Amino acid sequence: MRKIAFGTGLHSTMSEITGISPQKHDKLRCNIEVDGVFFCGMTLETVMKNRLKTGSVVTAEELSRMQLESEKATAFDKALSHISVTMKTEYEIRAFLKRKGYLQDVSDYVVEKMKSYGFIDDSLYAQRYCESVSKKKGGRLIALELKRKGIGEEAVQNAVSGISDETESAKRILEKYLRGKELDRAVLQKAYRYLLSKGYEYDTARAALESLKDDED
């Protein structure tokens, strides 16, 4: 049997189910293996309802339809539980659902539904993230972290541009770092590099150091 070719429009290619095994942490869900490769997770009820078994010949489209029809609500509930403690980005929700074995069709459904309820809002996430960490990190590092979370460039720039007076926050970090240290050249150079590692721009780091020296004088 030929393997299913994802993203190439060949969903109708016939493939063989080569393994159905219970998931380790949820005995009511199974891992479906197609042509020797993990394909998706699926409820035991769906497997039994569709009489799936090792050796069954199916298409990716058929498996995707089975999973989508039976697991919309389950996937949505899991995603809601995942955001119950802290907000998550669209990228993080999709990654979570993928780890749980849901196919892209299910993830698309869940993400769109969560967006319609306002549970996923990457722009708002970026703004709140900036507010929570801007007193201990510079805009450059914050922007990098937001991009790693899958936030788009425009939302990142809008959020970072709202950070107020980075020099003051850099100065507070500097004061804490230098507390109890002799302010010689070597220590000040380390302090400068420390601010850069925290994501502050070169000019901001220099301005914070100059401000600190002025206060000392």
Side-chain angles (χ1 to χ4, degrees), residues 200-211:
Y200 290 96
E201 298 292 348
Y202 299 106
D203 291 344
T204 302
R206 279 195 294 268
L209 278 169
E210 290 299 325
S211 176

Side-chain angles (χ1 to χ4, degrees), residues 11-201:
H11 279 4
S12 60
T13 302
M14 302 303 292
S15 295
E16 181 181 341
I17 294 179
T18 52
I20 300 177
S21 58
Q23 292 187 353
K24 184 177 180 180
H25 300 294
D26 188 345
K27 300 304 182 183
L28 295 180
R29 288 179 60 78
C30 299
N31 290 327
I32 306 297
E33 184 181 279
V34 174
D35 290 335
V37 179
F38 172 77
F39 181 78
C40 69
M42 189 174 290
T43 62
L44 179 60
E45 179 183 1
T46 303
V47 172
M48 296 178 67
K49 177 182 176 182
N50 290 279
R51 299 180 181 178
L52 298 178
K53 59 186 178 182
T54 300
S56 296
V57 177
V58 293
T59 66
E61 184 178 32
E62 289 171 338
L63 283 175
S64 180
R65 184 178 65 251
M66 292 174 194
Q67 194 194 49
L68 179 62
E69 290 175 354
S70 70
E71 301 200 316
K72 285 180 179 179
T74 302
F76 185 68
D77 288 343
K78 286 183 181 294
L80 287 182
S81 297
H82 190 52
I83 65 169
S84 62
V85 179
T86 59
M87 285 183 70
K88 298 291 190 299
T89 66
E90 177 179 340
Y91 173 83
E92 290 172 329
I93 291 296
R94 287 186 179 278
F96 167 77
L97 292 173
K98 185 176 181 179
R99 289 196 301 272
K100 292 295 182 181
Y102 293 103
L103 296 174
Q104 185 173 333
D105 288 344
V106 178
S107 295
D108 289 344
Y109 166 83
V110 171
V111 166
E112 290 308 311
K113 188 171 183 180
M114 293 182 79
K115 283 183 176 179
S116 71
Y117 287 136
F119 296 147
I120 294 178
D121 186 331
D122 281 359
S123 294
L124 180 60
Y125 181 100
Q127 292 171 12
R128 290 184 176 177
Y129 188 82
C130 279
E131 291 169 1
S132 68
V133 302
S134 60
K135 291 183 179 180
K136 54 187 178 181
K137 297 178 182 179
R140 183 165 50 82
L141 179 57
I142 294 173
L144 180 61
E145 290 175 343
L146 287 172
K147 290 175 183 177
R148 286 173 178 167
K149 292 174 178 289
I151 305 292
E153 182 67 30
E154 183 177 355
V156 170
Q157 292 307 317
N158 287 340
V160 172
S161 66
I163 298 175
S164 59
D165 201 351
E166 283 196 279
T167 301
E168 282 302 312
S169 65
K171 185 179 174 181
R172 286 193 293 270
I173 290 173
L174 198 58
E175 289 172 343
K176 185 176 180 180
Y177 176 82
L178 293 172
R179 193 172 298 152
K181 293 184 175 71
E182 189 70 32
L183 299 186
D184 57 29
R185 184 179 180 84
V187 168
L188 290 176
Q189 287 178 339
K190 287 181 180 179
Y192 178 70
R193 291 194 294 271
Y194 180 71
L195 286 179
L196 296 181
S197 74
K198 287 291 184 179
Y200 290 96
E201 298 292 348

